[in-house]
């Protein structure tokens, strides 16, 4: 069980501690932040409400620990990451249990997230040794007007203290996708977990603690964003921010100052369906892409743009599959589980009401019980409806009928988001041309949008983010180039030339 056995150290009575300077601590504030179980809508966990002074101490120790860690050999950094990955996978059950209770993730998917996270950490350790173990050598006479009197050596060095802020929907996986690259690159790491997902993150951090990382190198501070959020993101001790979440990231980017930013801020991922598409394949991917984890994924299919001539057939196939989706608690591995909060459910309902008032066709009856919303396909959606543009982050999917490919591309590109999109067609030439025209960070051909495998580049444009994720890109982003130039008194050339 969560908070027991190997993890008993992180729990104090009814409240989980925060992690700083290699120890599990209670906040001096004496205050706790409740975590509501989305299924029961009752308080299930409590975490510490850390103070700004505690954040200051964390930053101070992180800075000190980083200086020593940067001198630690690459192989040793990788060795500790492999150890943490092994512990993470070994104790997947209590971490997965936390995911089920905090964010209503189906039990089997929760286990998958933890195992995937362990694999990510191990891969990152290996990739980091390869990337950071190589430098670059330049000679001056490759540029016009220069003799070979300068040798330039370049290497990658750490940034300092990385602030990692993952979202509620993948709190473990998207935390380690920031933690592992930061650590292998020689940085220290301060983690601010989401409230829903904080306990899962604390369990994950304990795995790194057990692996034997130096004190102060990794910290995990919990608390209300309203109290320590801006204080963290604007803290002068932060050298880099990696954030995944909503439009809060836009506000962070305006306040953060002159530091590298890595941000993924959501999407309105369009699925363009051409007349020659395999409609059974499309329907299967719409279900997987639009309704898995109740649609609470940045890369979920958020709008279907289908050619009018095949729209009826596609909607019929999708409806048959929607009818087979199971709805219920995450403990039963239901396909559709409660959304993360009442406010999220209310927002989704607002989009549904707007669509109904404006004449959308409801393929199923809208049904809600607390935070649990039954899957709903909305046909004949028009651009004047909110659901055509806004990200529901729930099991509600709009279908817009189009009469030309250009119309579909235009709708996709008119969005303020640009994370991912997908195209379904048997004509690869058309797929490439359409994909090139879509203003998104990634285009999937004949498959639903997805983040991963975790070593693939993952990025958005416009309001969907800044920078690129993926293991290799994250390692590079969390380093800076250091150049050393050797100046020779006379030109030097290759063997065979006399001195």
């Amino acid at each position: 069980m969560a908070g027991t056995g190997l993890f008993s150290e992180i729990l104090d009575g009814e409240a989980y501690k925060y992690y700083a300077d290699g120890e599990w601590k209670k906040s001096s504030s004496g205050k706790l932040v409740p975590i509501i179980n989305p299924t029961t809508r009752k308080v299930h966990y409590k975490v510490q409400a850390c103070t700004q002074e505690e954040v200051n101490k964390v930053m101070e120790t992180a800075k000190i620990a980083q200086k020593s860690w940067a001198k630690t050999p690459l192989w040793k950094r990788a060795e500790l990451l492999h150890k943490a990955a092994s512990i993470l996978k070994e104790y997947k059950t209590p971490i997965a249990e936390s995911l089920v209770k905090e964010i209503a993730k189906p039990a089997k998917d929760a286990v998958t997230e933890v195992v995937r996270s362990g694999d990510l950490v191990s891969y990152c350790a290996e990739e980091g040794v390869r990337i950071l173990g190589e430098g670059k050598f330049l000679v001056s006479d490759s540029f016009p007007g220069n003799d070979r009197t300068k040798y330039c050596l370049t290497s990658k060095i750490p940034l300092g203290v990385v602030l990692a802020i993952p979202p509620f929907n993948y709190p473990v996986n998207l935390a380690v996708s920031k933690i592992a690259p930061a650590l292998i690159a020689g940085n220290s790491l301060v983690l601010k977990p989401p409230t829903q997902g904080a306990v899962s993150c604390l369990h994950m951090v304990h795995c790194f603690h057990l692996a034997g990382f130096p004190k102060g190198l990794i910290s995990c501070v919990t608390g209300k964003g309203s109290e320590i959020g801006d204080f963290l993101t604007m803290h002068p001790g932060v050298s880099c921010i990696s954030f995944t979440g909503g439009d809060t990231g836009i506000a962070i980017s305006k306040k953060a100052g002159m530091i590298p930013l890595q941000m993924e801020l959501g999407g309105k991922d369009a699925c363009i369906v051409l007349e020659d598409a395999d409609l059974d394949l499309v329907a299967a991917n719409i279900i997987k892409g639009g309704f898995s984890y109740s649609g609470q994924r940045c890369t979920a299919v958020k709008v279907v743009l289908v050619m009018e001539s095949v729209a009826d057939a596609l909607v019929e196939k999708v409806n048959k599959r929607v009818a087979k989706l199971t709805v219920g608690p995450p403990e039963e591995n239901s396909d559709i589980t409660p959304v993360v909060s009442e406010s999220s459910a209310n927002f989704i309902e607002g989009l549904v009401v707007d669509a109904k008032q404006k004449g959308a066709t409801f393929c199923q009856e809208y049904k809600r019980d607390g935070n649990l919303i039954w899957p709903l396909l909305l046909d004949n959606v028009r651009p004047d409806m909110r659901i055509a543009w806004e990200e529901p982050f729930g099991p509600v999917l709009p279908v817009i009928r189009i009469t030309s490919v250009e119309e579909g591309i235009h709708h996709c590109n008119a969005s303020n988001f640009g994370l991912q999109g997908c195209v379904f067609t048997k004509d690869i030439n058309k797929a490439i041309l359409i994909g090139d025209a879509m203003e998104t960070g990634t285009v999937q051909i004949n498959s639903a949008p997805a983040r991963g495998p975790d070593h693939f580049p993952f990025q958005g444009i416009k309001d969907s983010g800044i920078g690129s994720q993926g293991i290799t890109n994250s390692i590079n982003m969390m380093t800076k180039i250091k150049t050393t130039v050797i100046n020779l008194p006379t030109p030097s050339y290759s063997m065979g030339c006399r001195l």
Side-chain angles (χ1 to χ4, degrees):
M1 287 181 61
T4 62
L6 195 71
F7 296 98
S8 59
E9 185 180 351
I10 74 175
L11 184 64
D12 179 68
E14 64 173 359
Y16 284 87
K17 304 174 188 176
Y18 77 100
Y19 185 68
D21 201 20
E23 298 177 0
W24 291 98
K25 302 181 178 183
K26 294 171 63 176
S27 173
S28 60
S29 72
K31 298 178 182 178
L32 301 174
V33 179
I35 298 175
I36 308 297
N37 184 319
T39 305
T40 64
R41 291 188 290 163
K42 296 179 180 178
V43 175
H44 199 98
Y45 298 124
K46 294 178 182 178
V47 296
Q48 304 296 315
C50 292
T51 65
Q52 293 184 0
E53 180 57 33
E54 284 162 339
V55 168
N56 278 333
K57 290 179 181 177
V58 160
M59 290 298 176
E60 185 178 338
T61 56
K63 186 176 182 179
I64 295 170
Q66 189 275 325
K67 297 298 182 185
S68 175
W69 179 246
K71 299 175 184 177
T72 303
L74 258 178
W75 67 264
K76 182 64 175 178
R77 297 182 212 164
E79 185 178 78
L80 287 171
L81 283 170
H82 280 303
K83 189 173 181 181
S86 178
I87 297 170
L88 191 61
K89 292 165 76 171
E90 181 180 357
Y91 293 96
K92 59 183 179 291
T93 302
I95 304 175
E97 177 196 317
S98 302
L99 290 168
V100 171
K101 302 302 182 185
E102 286 188 285
I103 63 170
K105 180 160 285 191
K108 65 179 187 300
D109 295 339
V111 172
T112 299
E113 177 176 345
V114 181
V115 173
R116 172 186 179 183
S117 299
D119 290 338
L120 188 159
V121 174
S122 289
Y123 191 103
C124 187
E126 295 294 330
E127 185 73 353
V129 169
R130 287 190 289 269
I131 293 173
L132 301 169
E134 295 181 353
K136 195 173 183 180
F137 175 69
L138 298 171
V139 290
S140 54
D141 67 327
S142 59
F143 194 87
N146 286 271
D147 289 323
R148 188 171 296 193
T149 56
K150 296 176 183 288
Y151 288 165
C152 177
L153 308 175
T154 67
S155 59
K156 292 176 177 149
I157 61 173
L159 296 174
V161 180
V162 174
L163 173 61
I165 308 176
F168 80 83
N169 56 348
Y170 288 89
V172 175
N173 183 255
L174 283 170
V176 300
S177 74
K178 306 171 190 304
I179 294 171
L183 295 180
I184 194 65
N187 300 289
S188 57
L189 190 289
V190 175
L191 176 66
K192 169 57 178 76
T195 298
Q196 304 286 143
V199 172
S200 306
C201 281
L202 291 169
H203 280 77
M204 174 271 296
V205 167
H206 195 54
C207 295
F208 282 81
H209 169 76
L210 294 170
F213 282 88
K215 287 185 177 182
L217 187 68
I218 305 169
S219 305
C220 185
V221 291
T222 55
K224 295 182 178 180
S226 58
E227 295 178 5
I228 61 171
D230 281 353
F231 191 74
L232 273 165
T233 57
M234 297 173 67
H235 199 284
V238 172
S239 308
C240 168
I241 299 175
S242 180
F243 174 92
T244 304
D247 54 13
T248 300
I250 296 175
I252 291 173
S253 69
K254 293 177 179 178
K255 301 174 183 177
M258 294 285 287
I259 60 172
L261 301 177
Q262 182 185 55
M263 297 199 166
E264 191 268 283
L265 311 179
K268 185 67 176 177
D269 299 6
C271 172
I272 299 178
V273 184
L274 273 58
E275 293 162 312
D276 68 338
D278 180 337
L279 296 185
D280 288 317
L281 176 67
V282 177
N285 275 273
I286 286 175
I287 294 296
K288 177 183 75 172
F291 295 103
S292 61
Y293 188 40
S294 303
Q296 297 176 109
R297 297 163 47 249
C298 293
T299 55
V301 172
K302 306 275 175 52
V303 59
V304 178
L305 302 164
V306 56
M307 294 294 288
E308 179 70 56
S309 61
V310 294
D312 286 343
L314 177 61
V315 168
E316 181 181 357
K317 290 179 181 292
V318 174
N319 280 330
K320 287 180 179 179
R321 292 174 182 266
V322 169
K324 295 177 181 179
L325 293 173
T326 58
V327 181
E331 291 84 355
E332 297 177 7
N333 280 314
S334 304
D335 296 315
I336 305 296
T337 57
V339 295
V340 71
S341 66
E342 184 176 354
S343 60
S344 294
N346 290 341
F347 175 77
I348 295 165
E349 186 166 294
L351 297 179
V352 172
V353 170
D354 176 79
K356 186 171 185 177
Q357 290 173 345
K358 293 176 180 175
T361 301
F362 279 55
C363 297
Q364 294 80 27
E365 177 187 1
Y366 173 67
K367 186 177 179 182
R368 173 185 173 185
D369 181 10
N371 294 344
L372 187 61
I373 295 176
W374 271 249
L376 176 62
L377 189 71
L378 297 173
D379 194 8
N380 295 300
V381 168
R382 299 190 314 273
D384 65 325
M385 300 176 188
R386 289 175 56 200
I387 192 73
W389 305 105
E390 297 182 41
E391 185 180 21
F393 236 64
V396 178
L397 182 61
V399 176
I400 298 177
R401 297 175 178 232
I402 58 176
T403 56
S404 68
V405 171
E406 291 74 19
E407 185 182 350
I409 294 171
H410 174 77
H411 185 92
C412 170
N413 293 349
S415 172
N416 61 310
F417 291 112
L419 187 58
Q420 290 204 9
C422 58
V423 183
F424 285 87
T425 176
K426 295 175 182 175
D427 188 332
I428 189 62
N429 295 323
K430 283 185 180 179
I432 294 295
L433 291 173
I434 294 168
D436 285 349
M438 295 172 72
E439 296 174 359
T440 60
T442 301
V443 175
Q444 303 275 350
I445 296 175
N446 292 324
S447 184
R451 178 179 59 85
D454 286 316
H455 66 305
F456 280 18
F458 179 60
Q459 58 282 317
I461 61 175
K462 298 186 282 189
D463 285 354
S464 284
I466 301 171
S468 181
Q469 299 179 57
I471 290 170
T472 302
N473 288 342
S474 292
I475 294 172
N476 285 328
M477 180 264 176
M478 294 178 183
T479 61
K480 54 189 172 185
I481 300 296
K482 177 67 177 286
T483 298
T484 300
V485 179
I486 301 171
N487 292 274
L488 303 174
T490 59
S492 174
Y493 293 94
S494 57
M495 291 184 295
C497 297
R498 292 183 177 182
L499 295 176

